[in-house]
Amino acid sequence: MAKRLTRAEVPVELTWNLADLFPSAEAWEAAFASVEACLPTVTRFKGHLGEGAAVLLECLEAREALLEQYDRVATYARLRLAEDGTSPAHQAAFARAAALGARLGAALAFIPTELLSLPAGTLERYLAEEPNLEPYRKYLTDLAEQKPHTLSPETEEVLAALEEVTDAPYVIYERTKSADMSFEPIRGPQGQELPMSFALYEDRYEQEPDARVRRAAYASFTRGLKAYQHTLAATFATEVRKHVVLARLRGYPSAEAMLLHQQQVSLEGYHNVLDIIQAELAPHMRRYARLRRRVLGLDELLVCDLKAPLDPGYNPATTFAEASRLILEAVSVMGDEYTEVIRRALTERWVDRADNVGKSTGAFCAAPYGAHPYILITWQDTLRSAFVLAHELGHAAHFALNQPIQRLINTRPSTYFIEAPSTLNELLLGQHILARSADPRMRRWVIAQMLGTYYHNFVTHLLEGELQRRIYRLAEAGTPITAAVLSETKGAILQEFWGDTVVIDEGARLTWMRQPHYYMGLYPYTYSAGLTVATAVARAVREEGHPAVERWLRTLKAGGTLKPLDLIRLAGVDTSTPEPIHQAVAYVGSLVDQLEALY
């Protein structure tokens, strides 16, 4: 069996440069100590926020300075753990950072509760009296909207102190995946033994052209997941129950209502995304599944076949350097400022692309305030990896563009918008390749990749959102959330969507175990919301050119200064109506039409 590298064996050029955050572990320790030491610079304002606008301004500035320091400390610990979750030192540092965050949360909980206890109109008067409070307007306005759901100061402080405990389900899930799960090796086409891991399955074997190898990997992957189903079901159930209890304590009608309030999204908007896409997309995706089964020559289509290449003899390879050049060409339509950010990310070691023991699966982008973003990906020397990289670079560009303009408190928009910049980059890459290639095989491959983007966001993540919707309702009704309930519910959702075009077997029913997004609130459905926006913006860039680009750059730079629907309107898209959703689904249908014609 081929040996996977340890982190120490990985060539440095394949790794991100965390020295840009902290030059050494000792520097991180000093920053950690500084955060603890600086806490009194904020807590000294406790009991004094009613003394005037100037006092409030001083307090909020001190809070922001403290949180900026902590953001870098916590991000560094998270990134070290992501690069090697088996390291006891990384585990300990992450745990310490989480505990520090909980202490900060408890100590600073007095700010919102004290502000909400001020007489009506006080915050509005403060904003009028002190112009330097303007950057905090949205924070203070949003805070006022939480007043009906805010508990007593003592209770809020206790809940904040328990943050490390309430965040435990996510930590347990990630630790289980990165450090505990193991998978049986499989046999290659010549009978050779091939290694298996969570990352290898999702990043390589799920796109394996050889059906025997792909299905052997799927079987191994399913067995590996199944061994942990009860542990991770209990973890999932704890996360769900946490939100159900908090929603009741805070007087929300449901956990969904509480989580959507945090996103500043209406229940109607949430249900529109879930209901319209499932209803209108299913016929297109069933056509796509039937095409896949025919082209791949399979008697039946399994979930593991949904990402298999339609042209098994054509899997465009690319190096990281070649992919970098291609991505830069694709995003050049967005102008020099945007392109320069992408160039820096690709050449200044913002990206960790190694595959080593203990590395976190999937891909993500972290954006510590006051430093450049960091991207984690497991690079596979395929053009598909270029699409994943383009996605994460969209996140990086978003934050690299808004951080120099916005205060820390205003950099991150609602989760409802957060996936729009990333999915737009994927669409730009696909459209760029199609525009420069007349090769029918390449065109078929690229259209399949673009359909893969919609499959990932409009199917995989959307159906995860549907699972959340159903599980939260079951939990609200008092139904115990067990592995059997999760698998049964997931299986039913998949069956309703795919009909008789895909076999829903045990591995399919266990896909609830594959994503960390369940531990991030109502996150999964927001991928579909983001892709809906990206589809509209990509069309506008194609049709309008510079004016659409300028609108988009203004939107990215606005950060979190606007509520999500207002932010999206800045880009020229109105998601208060279902029309952009209808148009995005219709575009998916047109891609299926093109692929059917090519085959």
Side-chain angles (χ1 to χ4, degrees):
M1 182 173 68
K3 178 179 176 291
R4 292 180 74 204
L5 298 178
T6 65
R7 186 66 183 184
E9 295 170 329
V10 172
V12 68
E13 64 270 17
L14 303 183
T15 66
W16 46 30
N17 184 10
L18 295 186
D20 290 344
L21 263 181
F22 294 103
S24 64
E26 291 75 21
W28 180 81
E29 289 287 355
F32 188 103
S34 177
V35 171
E36 291 185 301
C38 289
L39 187 54
T41 64
V42 185
T43 55
R44 68 190 179 91
F45 291 99
K46 189 172 185 178
H48 299 287
L49 298 185
E51 295 177 3
V55 174
L56 174 59
L57 175 62
E58 194 177 353
C59 175
L60 292 180
E61 288 179 339
R63 172 185 178 271
E64 197 168 28
L66 179 66
L67 292 180
E68 182 177 339
Q69 288 186 67
Y70 174 70
D71 185 34
R72 292 167 66 97
V73 166
T75 300
Y76 183 86
R78 177 195 174 196
L79 297 181
R80 294 306 304 270
L81 186 69
E83 69 186 29
D84 183 6
T86 64
S87 165
H90 296 170
Q91 293 174 10
F94 182 81
R96 289 175 60 205
L100 178 59
R103 291 199 297 278
L104 292 184
L108 304 184
F110 77 91
I111 296 175
T113 53
E114 199 168 310
L115 290 176
L116 289 175
S117 68
L118 296 175
T122 302
L123 292 181
E124 291 80 358
R125 176 168 58 82
Y126 283 179
L127 284 164
E129 292 174 355
E130 176 53 77
N132 290 326
L133 278 173
E134 189 58 32
Y136 301 97
R137 178 178 292 277
K138 186 172 184 295
Y139 167 73
L140 295 172
T141 302
D142 291 347
L143 187 62
E145 294 176 358
Q146 296 176 20
K147 188 167 187 175
H149 306 289
T150 301
L151 305 174
S152 70
E154 296 78 14
T155 303
E156 292 290 350
E157 188 170 332
V158 169
L159 289 174
L162 288 171
E163 183 178 346
E164 185 182 3
V165 176
T166 57
D167 285 347
Y170 172 76
V171 176
I172 294 168
Y173 174 79
E174 283 294 307
R175 196 71 52 81
T176 301
K177 277 176 59 176
S178 66
D180 288 342
M181 277 191 178
S182 61
F183 302 88
E184 300 166 3
I186 61 173
R187 293 290 173 183
Q190 284 77 48
Q192 74 274 32
E193 191 172 81
L194 299 174
M196 257 292 293
S197 70
F198 210 112
L200 283 172
Y201 178 74
E202 294 201 329
D203 296 330
R204 181 183 301 172
Y205 293 127
E206 208 168 20
Q207 293 87 42
E208 165 63 43
D210 189 315
R212 289 172 299 176
V213 175
R214 184 173 67 247
R215 291 185 172 188
Y218 179 57
S220 171
F221 189 61
T222 298
R223 289 192 296 272
L225 291 178
K226 188 177 179 181
Y228 289 87
Q229 63 176 321
H230 299 295
T231 297
L232 291 187
T235 306
F236 196 132
T238 302
E239 177 73 7
V240 170
R241 188 65 187 164
K242 172 183 75 178
H243 291 306
V244 170
V245 171
L246 285 173
R248 288 175 182 169
L249 286 173
R250 295 190 179 281
Y252 286 97
S254 67
E256 286 175 306
M258 178 184 72
L259 295 169
L260 290 171
H261 186 195
Q262 294 169 6
Q263 295 179 358
Q264 301 182 320
V265 174
S266 68
L267 276 166
E268 180 185 16
Y270 166 69
H271 292 308
N272 276 344
V273 170
L274 288 170
D275 293 338
I276 294 172
I277 295 178
Q278 285 184 85
E280 296 185 6
L281 186 66
H284 297 308
M285 295 310 294
R286 290 178 188 183
R287 282 196 295 132
Y288 183 45
R290 285 191 288 270
L291 174 66
R292 281 189 150 276
R293 186 176 60 195
R294 174 173 63 83
V295 173
L296 293 174
L298 299 172
D299 293 332
E300 57 182 15
L301 199 70
L302 305 183
V303 166
C304 66
D305 302 318
L306 287 168
K307 292 185 177 181
L310 286 172
D311 187 349
Y314 189 77
N315 183 24
T318 186
T319 65
F320 185 81
E322 292 166 344
S324 297
R325 288 192 292 271
L326 188 63
I327 291 169
L328 285 169
E329 292 172 3
V331 302
S332 64
V333 67
M334 304 304 290
D336 293 342
E337 184 181 17
Y338 188 94
T339 304
E340 176 60 15
V341 172
I342 303 298
R343 186 200 64 77
R344 290 190 59 209
L346 292 168
T347 59
E348 296 181 8
R349 287 181 58 206
W350 295 13
V351 181
D352 192 285
R353 50 195 167 102
D355 178 22
N356 58 263
V357 174
K359 184 172 178 178
S360 179
T361 62
F364 68 74
C365 176
Y369 190 80
H372 64 72
Y374 285 89
I375 291 170
L376 178 139
I377 182 175
T378 302
W379 183 258
Q380 296 296 329
D381 272 340
T382 65
L383 199 51
R384 178 58 206 162
S385 282
F387 278 83
V388 177
L389 178 60
H391 178 101
E392 300 305 336
L393 287 167
H395 287 306
H398 182 191
F399 292 105
L401 286 170
N402 75 44
Q403 282 194 7
I405 299 169
Q406 304 297 344
R407 306 284 289 265
L408 171 63
I409 201 167
N410 288 327
T411 58
R412 190 173 183 85
S414 165
T415 308
Y416 185 82
F417 175 82
I418 207 71
E419 293 299 334
S422 53
T423 48
L424 175 63
N425 258 23
E426 290 187 66
L427 297 181
L428 291 175
L429 178 59
Q431 291 167 0
H432 173 70
I433 299 172
L434 287 175
R436 61 179 248 167
S437 177
D439 179 0
R441 294 186 85 182
M442 176 60 84
R443 294 183 66 81
R444 288 188 313 201
W445 186 90
V446 172
I447 291 171
Q449 295 310 301
M450 294 175 74
L451 279 169
T453 294
Y454 284 96
Y455 169 76
H456 192 61
N457 297 287
F458 272 12
V459 180
T460 299
H461 289 318
L462 187 82
L463 297 187
E464 291 166 1
E466 178 61 25
L467 177 65
Q468 283 188 307
R469 180 162 68 168
R470 296 190 190 189
I471 292 299
Y472 273 106
R473 288 175 179 175
L474 288 172
E476 302 269 7
T479 302
I481 306 304
T482 63
V485 168
L486 286 163
S487 293
E488 180 182 347
T489 306
K490 185 64 178 182
I493 291 168
L494 291 169
Q495 195 72 64
E496 291 164 18
F497 185 83
W498 290 109
D500 62 358
T501 61
V502 178
V503 175
I504 307 305
D505 59 10
E506 184 177 41
R509 291 189 291 272
L510 287 173
T511 52
W512 60 266
M513 299 178 67
R514 292 177 59 175
Q515 287 291 348
H517 299 127
Y518 297 119
Y519 304 92
M520 303 174 186
L522 294 182
Y523 190 25
Y525 92 97
T526 66
Y527 279 88
S528 298
L531 185 52
T532 296
V533 175
T535 304
V537 172
R539 183 178 67 250
V541 170
R542 254 189 343 264
E543 295 174 355
E544 301 176 39
H546 184 70
V549 169
E550 287 300 304
R551 289 198 303 269
W552 186 241
L553 293 179
R554 284 198 300 272
T555 304
L556 296 182
K557 291 176 181 179
T561 57
L562 297 170
K563 292 189 175 182
L565 297 191
D566 293 330
L567 184 66
I568 293 165
R569 287 191 189 99
L570 196 62
V573 183
D574 186 2
T575 53
S576 66
T577 73
E579 189 56 31
I581 305 176
H582 294 308
Q583 291 177 356
V585 173
Y587 179 66
V588 178
S590 75
L591 291 174
V592 176
D593 292 340
Q594 292 178 59
L595 201 59
E596 286 180 328
L598 285 167
Y599 278 102

